Amino acid sequence: MKSFFNKQHQKLIADPMGDQNPITIQVLGICSALAITTQLENALVMTLAVIFVMTSASSIISILRNNIPNRIRIIVQLLVVASLVALVDQILKAFLPDASEQLSVFIGLIITNCIIMGRLEAFAMGNKLWDSFLDALGNAFGYGWILVAVAFVRELFGSGKLMGYEVPGFNYLYELGYMNNNLMILPPMALIVVGLIIWMQRARNNDLIEEN
Amino acid sequence: MDLVNIFIKGVFIDNMIFAYFLGMCSYLAVSKTVPTANGLGLAVIFVLGITVPVNYILENQILKAGALQWLGDNFVSVDLNVLSLIMFIAVVSAMVQLVEMIIEKFSPALYSSLGIFLPLIAVNCAILGGALFMQERQYSTIIEATSFALGSGVGWYLAIVAIAAIREKIRYSNVPAPLRGLGITYIITGLMGIAFMCFMGIKI
């Protein structure tokens, strides 16, 4: 535990990316993951916001952890997270008004994003600052890559664009009679795409399979 | 008639789960059996029905631009909207705590059936989502806001009871091993969402 970045720290970062992924395994933070993945750009903005809020909140709670009375800890956690989210909300409104408009209430809902509360409760309340920071970073990235993957699939097949730009080869496909699948843009497809990601992940690693 | 419209819209067209994915975490985690789903669903209706009107009063008397006029003319230009997120979540968690204490005192039977779910609800996205949608859609009276809250609560309740019933049955079917549990629940919810989409565009 002496070194600054040892094996254990590496595990804190790597686990949430794969076998301990917050979305596909721990079932945390799903609400926002599904609702804003129609466009890659929104998914990236959301990921950045969550990374910021989560690392800051985990660090703050980890510093305060010995001074928080047990009975009111949830309210303390919520208020720390809410202040950070209010900050992000104002920054987005000032610098990225379009994205802020499209994400509407979902930036506010980062507060109740279970992934943040879940990690605060399960990890930051009982671990040191640096460990909690890394755990938050790992989980935020684990959340982010699923978001970006789902948004990539949905935007590519749903509107034939990526990051709002036309994809070069698609012109020829349209001439051949290819059409965008509008179903991909509608909410239910997000669930099905995440379901398929879970399927792939568990098919590769049989330890993750649940008993019915 | 307007109130009924808002209510039905909340239940079917703007369903919290199928149209906005709010409260998904508890929806997936607590839907293994029907009785628990039933308890959580009722608690959500209850808490939504209380917190949205309270937040509505807060929004219109304190937070909105110009809402502080009742304090005097100097306050007309004050806009406290920046604070709305923090205020809403504080109200939600305080209300949940209060409701828990009241139920514990007056109806121990209800408390023991809802008890475990109540603290969970403070961090249920559907509750804060209800408050934020209320702010965004600007309902004109508090009764309309309450009707919206109850409608979304009932919509959420229907969704979680339906998925719990399906999950109880699906235990007997032959699902591919990697899809068992979480995976198949996602896909079923997606299919239910597609079914719910037929309510879209209905004008009542």
Side-chain angles (χ1 to χ4, degrees), chain A residues 23-32 34-36 71 74-75 78-79 82-83 85-86 89-90 104-109 111-115 117 154 183 186-192 194-196 198-200 202-203 206 209-212, chain B residues 17-26 28-29 32 81-82 85-86 89-90 93-94 97 101 119 122-126 128-129 132-133 136 167 170-173 175-183 185-187 189-191 193-194 197 200:
Chain A
I23 293 183
T24 58
I25 310 292
Q26 300 180 58
V27 208
L28 294 174
I30 295 153
C31 328
S32 53
L34 300 172
I36 47 90
R71 275 196 73 86
I74 296 210
I75 297 182
L78 278 177
L79 285 181
S83 328
V85 171
D89 192 31
Q90 295 299 315
S104 71
V105 299
F106 290 100
I107 288 292
L109 288 173
I111 299 175
T112 47
N113 196 325
C114 340
I115 188 179
M117 291 296 294
R154 287 182 75 191
L183 196 60
L186 297 170
M189 280 313 283
L191 286 160
I192 294 179
V194 177
L196 295 177
I198 292 178
W199 191 358
M200 283 190 269
R202 294 190 182 181
N206 286 332
I209 292 176
E210 287 174 54
E211 304 214 354
N212 260 327
Chain B
I17 297 266
F18 298 124
Y20 296 106
F21 307 113
L22 295 180
M24 278 309 267
C25 313
S26 30
L28 291 170
K32 288 210 173 82
N81 244 327
V82 197
L85 284 178
I86 302 177
I89 196 69
S93 42
Q97 199 86 53
M101 271 148 54
V123 286
N124 186 326
C125 328
L128 186 64
L132 292 173
F133 277 127
E136 199 179 79
R167 281 180 81 169
I170 213 158
R171 221 165 286 156
Y172 306 109
S173 26
V175 180
L179 263 181
R180 274 182 204 150
L182 195 56
T185 314
Y186 270 99
I187 291 177
T189 312
L191 296 176
I194 293 177
M197 265 165 37
M200 260 187 199

Side-chain angles (χ1 to χ4, degrees), chain A residues 126-194:
Chain A
N127 283 282
K128 291 207 198 82
L129 175 60
W130 178 238
D131 291 9
S132 308
F133 176 81
L134 288 178
D135 178 72
L137 198 66
N139 276 288
F141 272 110
Y143 167 87
W145 86 256
I146 299 275
L147 225 67
V148 170
V150 176
F152 179 83
V153 172
R154 287 182 75 191
E155 196 179 1
L156 185 66
F157 293 107
S159 41
K161 293 175 179 173
L162 282 177
M163 296 291 287
Y165 296 104
E166 305 276 342
V167 178
F170 268 48
N171 286 337
Y172 304 106
L173 285 177
Y174 288 135
E175 280 168 25
L176 290 173
Y178 171 82
M179 280 169 82
N180 287 324
N181 183 356
N182 285 330
L183 196 60
M184 274 291 182
I185 304 198
L186 297 170
M189 280 313 283
L191 286 160
I192 294 179
V193 173
V194 177

